[in-house]
């Protein structure tokens, strides 16, 4: 990887979120990471160019592959997640395809949780089939089901740390054990938690994916994604991962795992994934996300505090049938949340209204501070009626499995004053 500030002693999260991956700009001394809005980078000479193209030396060639601003973000997120390396890409959905790409081949499958972001369910049930891949959905709380679903063609287990939209917390150590027993990596979508609330690699995950669109940027300005690799999986232990363990024809027979060790997955993601799939993050987006991450812990603390206050108020209200927030003591996930994400169970949960589908529509229309949008993880509080929007493509059975029945709305609690949020909810519930 290109040179970046690597701290000597392990630093704490609040320091890493400001400093990791970045140092004063070597060319100008600029303290903030400049937006390197340049497509290409000049080679010192022909020999330098050849070494870069052969992966014998790491540096900047062309921004589809690497860019200094984007690399600073990758290194910062890798540090926050405790990974060996990271690759940024154009969206959270791109990150998921990019994470699976080195692992899968036609005929291979991924064992996936039924409780996933609706867009991911669609990506996994429909679009990946065009590549000859498939997904086998399991109840991610059921260890026997996970172990039973892993077969000789399985190449990964995929789940969310805190699931969107229900806010259920996954027992990551249990899922990691099941994946390990099956000889496959565990990929965790950590979007809803952020690395401040949950660090999946510490719980046994191999790979972490993010939609940087959400809490990492934090203010609804960027579409982006990040893949972090722990660097711990032995890609050569079986013949299942030939892209990483076998000779790569496009690089004169280089074997990624043998050559790059713990950086094999990351380097493959750049040198083959970004090179050929082209799902690249732009430097301006990376800059905004770097700015957002500087305040990640501060925002997450407020998001969580507000979510607890709002969820408690909703739970006590007679117009509300159910609140799924794992940060409520009444939640079946409360004890697990304290173990998996001890700093809080996030700020995303669903609310079931006694008035059913009609009451949900009236409620969403009447809210003023909460914006009705298909997004989450913004400083602003957001609401969506998933059954009529994000999860519309799903069958009613899939909707219920994903926790978005027709009488359910999803809330993403922002960083405003919780008293104002509660007043807005109170008024809208009476509409
Ligand atoms: C939004 C989201 C995604 C997809 O991310 P995009 O940046 O919109 O492509 C994936 N997983 C989860 C949990 C999300 O919330």
């Amino acid at each position: 990887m290109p040179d970046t500030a690597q701290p000597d002693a392990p630093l704490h999260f609040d320091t890493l979120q400001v400093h990791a991956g970045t140092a004063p700009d070597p060319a100008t001394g600029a303290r903030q990471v400049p937006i390197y809005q340049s497509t290409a980078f000049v080679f010192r000479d022909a020999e330098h160019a050849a070494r870069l193209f052969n992966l014998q030396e790491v540096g900047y060639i062309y921004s589809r592959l690497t860019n200094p601003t984007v690399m600073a973000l990758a290194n910062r997120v890798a540090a926050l997640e405790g990974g060996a390396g990271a690759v940024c890409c154009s969206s959270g959905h791109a990150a998921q395809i990019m994470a699976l790409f080195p692992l899968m081949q036609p005929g291979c499958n991924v064992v996936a949780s039924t409780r996933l972001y609706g867009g991911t369910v669609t990506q996994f049930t429909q679009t990946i089939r065009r590549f000859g891949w498939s997904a086998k959905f399991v109840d991610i709380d059921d260890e026997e089901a996970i172990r039973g679903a892993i077969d000789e063609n399985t190449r990964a287990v995929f789940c969310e740390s805190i699931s969107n939209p229900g806010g259920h917390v996954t027992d990551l150590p249990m899922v990691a054990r099941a994946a390990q027993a099956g000889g496959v990596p565990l990929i965790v979508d950590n979007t809803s938690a952020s690395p401040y609330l949950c660090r999946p690699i510490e719980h046994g995950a191999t790979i972490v994916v993010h939609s940087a669109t959400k809490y990492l940027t934090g203010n609804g300005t960027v579409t982006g994604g990040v893949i972090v690799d722990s660097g711990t999986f032995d890609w050569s232990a079986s013949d299942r991962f030939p892209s990483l363990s076998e000779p790569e024809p496009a690089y004169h027979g280089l074997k990624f795992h043998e050559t790059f060790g713990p950086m094999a997955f990351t380097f493959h993601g750049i040198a083959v994934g970004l090179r050929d799939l082209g799902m690249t993050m732009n430097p301006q987006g990376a800059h905004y996300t770097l700015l957002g991450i500087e305040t990640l812990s501060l925002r997450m603390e407020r998001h969580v505090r507000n979510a607890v206050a709002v969820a408690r108020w909703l739970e006590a209200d007679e117009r509300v049938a159910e609140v799924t927030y794992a940060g409520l003591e009444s939640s079946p996930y409360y004890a697990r949340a304290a173990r998996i994400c001890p700093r809080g169970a996030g700020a995303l949960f669903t609310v079931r209204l006694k008035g059913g589908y009609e009451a949900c529509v009236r409620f969403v229309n009447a809210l003023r501070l909460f914006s009705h949008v298909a997004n989450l993880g913004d400083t602003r509080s957001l609401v969506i009626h998933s059954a009529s929007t994000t999860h519309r493509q799903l069958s009613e059975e899939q909707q219920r499995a994903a926790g978005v029945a027709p009488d359910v709305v999803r809330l993403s609690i922002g960083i405003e004053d919780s008293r104002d949020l509660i007043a807005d909810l109170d008024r809208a519930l009476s509409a």
Side-chain angles (χ1 to χ4, degrees):
M1 290 291 101
D3 282 349
T4 47
Q6 283 307 323
D8 304 331
L11 298 172
H12 297 95
F13 192 96
D14 294 86
T15 308
L16 289 173
Q17 73 184 359
V18 176
H19 289 280
T22 64
D25 180 50
T28 63
R31 190 64 193 85
Q32 188 51 277
V33 183
I35 304 173
Y36 282 94
Q37 198 72 38
S38 182
T39 308
F41 299 86
V42 178
F43 306 120
R44 288 194 300 270
D45 51 35
E47 166 69 14
H48 177 222
R51 290 182 60 79
L52 290 176
F53 275 96
N54 280 340
L55 301 183
Q56 290 161 318
E57 182 176 331
V58 175
Y60 298 109
I61 300 176
Y62 186 68
S63 282
R64 173 159 28 84
L65 298 128
T66 50
N67 171 282
T69 315
V70 177
M71 195 57 71
L73 173 62
N75 290 335
R76 183 171 297 175
V77 178
L80 294 180
E81 288 285 3
V87 182
C88 295
C89 44
S90 52
S91 70
H93 264 14
Q96 294 171 187
I97 294 295
M98 287 271 299
L100 290 173
F101 176 66
L103 314 178
M104 304 285 272
Q105 291 171 83
C108 291
N109 67 69
V110 53
V111 169
S113 168
T114 48
R115 279 200 297 268
L116 294 177
Y117 171 65
T120 305
V121 176
T122 308
Q123 188 186 55
F124 281 10
T125 48
Q126 311 292 330
T127 299
I128 65 170
R129 289 216 303 247
R130 309 281 183 93
F131 308 147
W133 310 346
S134 62
K136 296 166 98 175
F137 289 94
V138 293
D139 176 355
I140 206 71
D141 281 341
D142 184 343
E143 181 164 0
E144 287 312 306
I146 303 166
R147 287 177 185 252
I150 298 172
D151 63 29
E152 72 274 16
N153 293 320
T154 301
R155 294 294 176 269
V157 175
F158 187 100
C159 67
E160 294 177 5
S161 50
I162 300 180
S163 74
N164 174 359
H168 304 283
V169 178
T170 304
D171 187 353
L172 295 178
M174 177 276 279
V175 181
R177 273 196 311 275
Q180 195 180 17
V184 296
L186 169 61
I187 305 175
V188 175
D189 182 341
N190 199 30
T191 298
S192 308
S194 88
Y196 183 65
L197 299 182
C198 180
R199 306 213 322 155
I201 290 171
E202 289 175 0
H203 297 293
T206 312
I207 293 159
V208 175
V209 292
H210 273 283
S211 167
T213 315
K214 317 292 171 53
Y215 291 106
L216 290 182
T217 307
N219 50 36
T221 51
V222 165
T223 303
V226 188
I227 307 146
V228 182
D229 177 42
S230 61
T232 56
F233 197 87
D234 184 358
W235 305 111
S236 307
S238 72
D239 58 4
R240 290 193 201 181
F241 304 102
S243 297
L244 296 163
S245 63
E246 295 298 311
E248 167 64 41
Y251 286 107
H252 310 302
L254 172 145
K255 295 181 181 175
F256 274 87
H257 191 211
E258 189 183 274
T259 308
F260 299 117
M263 292 300 284
F265 187 88
T266 300
F267 276 35
H268 189 277
I270 296 169
V272 181
L274 289 179
R275 185 196 64 188
D276 293 349
L277 300 176
M279 301 168 168
T280 305
M281 180 182 274
N282 66 77
Q284 184 124 10
H287 177 74
Y288 289 142
T289 303
L290 280 165
L291 294 185
I293 288 177
E294 292 182 357
T295 58
L296 181 62
S297 67
L298 309 179
R299 286 184 286 109
M300 294 316 292
E301 277 169 13
R302 176 64 72 86
H303 279 295
V304 166
R305 180 155 38 104
N306 281 354
V308 169
V310 168
R312 281 196 183 137
W313 181 86
L314 284 166
E315 185 180 42
D317 193 279
E318 58 183 14
R319 293 161 292 188
V320 172
E322 188 192 5
V323 182
T324 60
Y325 188 46
L328 288 173
E329 284 174 32
S330 58
S331 165
Y333 293 94
Y334 185 76
R336 184 186 294 171
R339 189 159 49 89
I340 306 295
C341 34
R343 286 161 159 164
L348 185 74
F349 55 87
T350 60
V351 181
R352 196 153 58 79
L353 298 187
K354 285 187 181 154
Y357 186 93
E358 288 305 318
C360 289
V361 171
R362 277 199 307 275
F363 173 69
V364 167
N365 283 338
L367 284 163
R368 289 184 199 151
L369 281 178
F370 282 79
S371 304
H372 186 200
V373 297
N375 191 19
L376 63 96
D378 196 327
T379 49
R380 281 151 284 266
S381 288
L382 310 174
V383 63
I384 196 158
H385 185 214
S386 304
S388 62
T389 53
T390 50
H391 290 64
R392 197 186 183 89
Q393 314 300 335
L394 275 56
S395 68
E396 185 159 334
E397 189 191 337
Q398 285 176 318
Q399 286 180 352
R400 289 192 186 279
V404 293
D407 56 351
V408 164
V409 292
R410 182 188 77 190
L411 300 181
S412 169
I413 305 299
I415 63 172
E416 304 97 328
D417 190 309
S418 61
R419 291 168 298 188
D420 297 331
L421 299 178
I422 289 170
D424 195 33
L425 293 165
D426 191 22
R427 207 181 26 73
L429 281 170
S430 300

